[in-house]
Amino acid sequence: MLSMTNEEVKKAAAFFTREIEKLASGRSLRLMEVCGTHTVSIFKSGIRQLLPENVELVSGPGCPVCVTPNEYLDTAIAYSRKSDVMITTFGDMLKVPGSSSTLAKEKAQGSDIRIVYSSLEALEIAAKNPGKKVIFLAVGFETTAPTAAAAILMADEAHLTNFYVLSAHKLVPPALRALLASGKSHVDGFLLPGHVSAIIGLQPYDFLSKEYHIPGVVAGFEPLDILQAVYMLMLQIHDQTARLENQYSRIVPKEGNPSACTILSQVYQQTDAVWRGLGKIPNSGMSIREKYQAFDALLNIPIIVEETKEASQCQCGKVLRGLLQPSACLLFGKACRPEHPIGSCMVSVEGTCAAWYKYGAGRWQV
């Protein structure tokens, strides 16, 4: 699709839009885009406005920063207050509210917190600062987890003794299963994440069609990719079938990336994990295997963490489950804004509330 001319793109978009309207045929349908990058692309390209009113796009738990629970933030903040610790983190973690503070506030008060763009950069910082215990905040899905695993393997090979990982890596398919099993999040079809699928392939999503009879389409991130994926979902719904399809085949092979998955399974093992808004989900997290536990911050650096509290009236949990559109939250655009976020969904560039505020409902809600 990237090689198409502008005129060809316009014609294809008109075709998909027209066919989606025909296939909808008056029924009210809810399609969930799981990935936060999809959410942003949908808003920026005006796809919501192109779809018929009876086809609703709702966002799911596809923003790793957004689903990270307060307890993890509180733990990271507690570590940042130790004089012998340096925190390395992706930038969008700085403003995420914990129970009583943020990493940004702690940094302003003198804590040694460095923004990095990869776990390998955190590894380099540890090598250059032997007098510090350098903790990398490993937040992400299957897309970024292999790089954290690679950093641990490199630290082990280099006999680096001051590099640690505070793991909050999560697995997307178990979260989708939990959403469906709850019976509360009614979804007629899933737009599945392209980045995650490039690592894990297609098989982990088989349960959507086989157990829940819900269509799923792995989608790319260009506007035309998303429109085509919606069209593919609508064809399945119209034909009363449910299967897993791959719109993003130019990037996502059926088997995913075996090399990345091998590194991931070498260092990590599946474990239960707490997701903001979804609670504890079985086998949805990744913990460091015993062989590499010398790099696990929690097991090697004692810490006392404050009692975790949730922000009053914050509706991030419902937003992440597709039960509430951000504009329906009483805090949205008022007490909760990107410069003063109450909940995590207003912080990350992939956060649903942040996308609504920047590109959508926020323009006329404020």
Side-chain angles (χ1 to χ4, degrees):
M1 286 191 180
L2 295 180
S3 61
M4 297 173 67
T5 66
N6 287 339
E7 190 61 33
E8 289 172 333
V9 169
K10 290 179 181 179
K11 288 182 179 179
F15 169 79
F16 291 138
T17 303
R18 185 172 60 250
E19 292 302 308
I20 289 169
E21 187 167 2
K22 289 180 183 177
L23 292 166
S25 63
R27 292 176 294 176
S28 294
L29 299 171
R30 301 179 87 238
L31 307 179
M32 176 176 282
E33 83 270 2
V34 176
C35 181
T37 307
H38 279 148
T39 300
V40 174
S41 182
I42 286 167
F43 267 114
K44 289 178 70 174
S45 58
I47 287 178
R48 288 176 183 272
Q49 287 73 27
L50 292 177
L51 298 180
E53 291 184 0
N54 54 308
V55 177
E56 181 185 12
L57 291 177
V58 295
S59 303
C63 164
V65 171
C66 303
V67 300
T68 301
N70 267 10
E71 184 179 4
Y72 180 89
L73 269 299
D74 292 340
T75 302
I77 288 167
Y79 274 130
S80 76
R81 292 169 177 167
K82 294 176 72 72
S83 60
D84 61 341
V85 166
M86 179 193 300
I87 298 293
T88 56
T89 178
F90 298 133
D92 55 0
M93 289 293 292
L94 286 182
K95 289 186 177 182
V96 182
S99 295
S100 63
S101 185
T102 67
L103 289 171
K105 290 179 182 178
E106 299 302 321
K107 181 176 175 63
Q109 293 171 9
S111 291
D112 196 348
I113 300 172
R114 313 282 181 93
I115 296 175
V116 297
Y117 295 94
S118 74
S119 55
L120 300 183
E121 187 179 347
L123 191 65
E124 292 175 4
I125 290 174
K128 293 177 181 177
N129 293 271
K132 286 274 193 175
K133 296 174 181 177
V134 178
I135 300 176
F136 173 63
L137 302 187
V139 173
F141 295 139
E142 294 94 333
T143 313
T144 57
T147 61
I152 289 174
L153 291 175
M154 293 171 69
D156 184 54
E157 185 177 348
H159 304 290
L160 202 60
T161 59
N162 69 322
F163 176 73
Y164 302 91
V165 170
L166 185 61
S167 182
H169 284 307
K170 290 180 170 57
L171 303 170
V172 170
L176 302 186
R177 180 184 288 277
L179 275 178
L180 295 173
S182 72
K184 296 180 180 179
S185 301
H186 171 70
V187 176
D188 296 292
F190 284 100
L191 287 170
L192 298 169
H195 293 150
V196 167
S197 303
I199 302 297
I200 65 175
L202 305 183
Q203 188 276 330
Y205 304 114
D206 279 349
F207 71 93
L208 294 175
S209 58
K210 292 181 178 178
E211 297 179 34
Y212 291 94
H213 308 290
I214 293 178
V217 175
V218 175
F221 300 98
E222 295 295 323
L224 198 58
D225 287 329
I226 297 171
L227 270 179
Q228 184 180 22
V230 171
Y231 169 65
M232 293 165 70
L233 284 175
M234 295 300 298
L235 281 174
Q236 291 193 53
I237 294 169
H238 180 268
D239 294 339
Q240 297 184 337
T241 60
R243 59 184 178 274
L244 179 62
E245 295 185 300
N246 185 9
Q247 183 278 333
Y248 205 30
S249 58
R250 67 181 186 273
I251 298 295
V252 178
K254 182 178 181 181
E255 70 280 5
N257 186 327
S259 297
C261 290
T262 297
I263 291 174
L264 199 56
S265 62
Q266 181 180 348
V267 175
Y268 285 101
Q269 60 190 359
Q270 284 185 249
T271 186
D272 298 348
V274 176
W275 294 56
R276 187 187 297 270
L278 282 77
K280 182 178 285 189
I281 301 176
N283 296 317
S284 67
M286 289 176 263
S287 62
I288 299 173
R289 291 186 182 275
E290 184 176 358
K291 182 179 179 180
Y292 301 102
Q293 284 182 350
F295 303 100
D296 190 325
L298 283 176
L299 296 180
N300 293 279
I301 308 176
I303 195 70
I304 297 175
V305 182
E306 67 179 295
E307 181 182 355
T308 296
K309 300 175 183 177
E310 297 293 335
S312 175
Q313 293 185 292
C314 177
Q315 299 292 327
C316 276
K318 288 185 177 181
V319 171
L320 291 165
R321 286 178 285 161
L323 300 178
L324 185 78
Q325 298 287 33
S327 58
C329 174
L330 296 177
L331 302 179
F332 178 79
K334 301 177 181 69
C336 186
R337 299 178 179 223
E339 65 272 19
H340 184 265
I342 302 298
S344 60
C345 296
M346 187 61 90
V347 178
S348 172
V349 293
E350 295 185 345
T352 303
C353 294
W356 274 70
Y357 185 91
K358 186 173 183 180
Y359 302 110
R363 292 182 177 178
W364 57 83
Q365 287 284 328
V366 179

